[in-house]
Amino acid sequence: MKNYFTKAVSLLLVLLMTLSSFALVACNKDEGNTPNESNNDETPAQNETEPPVENTKAEINVANLSEYYIVRPDTQNKDMIDSVKALYNSLEETFSVKTKGITTDFILPGNDTYKEHEYEIIIGETNREASAAFTGELKYSEYGYAVVGNKIVIAGCSVADTVLAVEKFIADVITPNAGKDVVVLESDKYIQKVDFKFDTLSINGT
């Protein structure tokens, strides 16, 4: 009976480690971007300190915000909808500027309303290329925002993470810049990293 219990616990530990390892890249849907150099390491490579990357500053012209559409996924998720409304209200209250309004990422070919617009603030995982490129960089539970040309992307790995990303954007970018004509970002991309680290795994004392 003791041996059976020990084997069951061992199998459970192996299963948990396997699921945890998968979680590290769960948000990245491109299999080609899945790291493989850490297969023989006790600590996954993505947990190591990354080399410093030179920041590229970005600017958001406040007056131009009136040309932006706020785009969310075509979903009825209440948390997503409430978060987008909070962003819309924050932009108006802080900068006294109204955007073009809130819309979904639904596209109807040949239609002037349901299309991708030149200026967009994209929330969450959508069918927009800028959105897919940004979320493709995120690992499990990570979130952030980026300025990509005339697009501003705010997203996370899940709806809950996207809500955090919107809150972070409001706290970092909107609120501190009240009254300014131009918002200057020290980097055109911000990602809230999550540290997953496994130092050792012991099964039956080995």
Side-chain angles (χ1 to χ4, degrees):
M1 183 71 179
K2 181 179 180 181
N3 289 337
Y4 175 80
F5 178 75
T6 302
K7 288 180 180 179
V9 171
S10 299
L11 287 173
L12 180 59
L13 285 173
V14 171
L15 178 61
L16 288 174
M17 288 299 296
T18 302
L19 291 174
S20 298
S21 297
F22 172 77
L24 293 173
V25 292
C27 193
N28 194 332
K29 298 175 180 57
D30 184 357
E31 291 183 1
N33 291 335
T34 301
N36 55 18
E37 49 279 7
S38 63
N39 289 342
N40 297 321
D41 296 337
E42 292 180 342
T43 301
Q46 59 266 35
N47 295 327
E48 296 174 359
T49 302
E50 297 179 358
V53 178
E54 184 176 348
N55 288 337
T56 302
K57 289 189 177 183
E59 292 185 355
I60 300 174
N61 191 312
V62 171
N64 287 347
L65 289 173
S66 61
E67 300 299 319
Y68 278 79
Y69 290 82
I70 300 179
V71 180
R72 64 170 177 83
D74 192 14
T75 174
Q76 295 302 313
N77 184 284
K78 185 178 185 301
D79 290 339
M80 173 68 73
I81 294 172
D82 289 346
S83 183
V84 172
K85 288 179 179 177
L87 176 68
Y88 175 85
N89 291 333
S90 180
L91 286 169
E92 182 177 353
E93 292 167 3
T94 304
F95 297 124
S96 300
V97 173
K98 276 193 174 183
T99 65
K100 290 286 189 182
I102 300 171
T103 185
T104 72
D105 62 348
F106 175 72
I107 292 178
L108 184 61
N111 188 288
D112 257 353
T113 301
Y114 301 109
K115 66 177 185 179
E116 181 168 355
H117 301 277
E118 181 179 2
Y119 295 94
E120 293 183 330
I121 301 175
I122 307 167
I123 312 299
E125 292 189 76
T126 70
N127 56 17
R128 305 299 200 249
E129 288 185 11
S131 172
F134 180 72
T135 56
E137 296 183 39
L138 303 178
K139 299 181 182 67
Y140 181 74
S141 281
E142 292 182 344
Y143 60 87
Y145 50 83
V147 178
V148 186
N150 294 329
K151 313 282 188 183
I152 301 172
V153 181
I154 308 172
C157 271
S158 66
V159 171
D161 296 327
T162 296
V163 170
L164 292 175
V166 171
E167 292 174 353
K168 184 69 174 171
F169 186 83
I170 292 174
D172 288 0
V173 179
I174 298 178
T175 303
N177 290 291
K180 294 183 180 178
D181 295 326
V182 178
V183 176
V184 179
L185 305 181
E186 289 302 314
S187 175
D188 60 357
K189 183 189 303 178
Y190 169 84
I191 295 178
Q192 177 65 50
K193 295 289 186 181
V194 177
D195 183 35
F196 291 93
K197 185 170 292 185
F198 305 102
D199 292 326
T200 58
L201 172 63
S202 176
I203 299 177
N204 288 342
T206 60

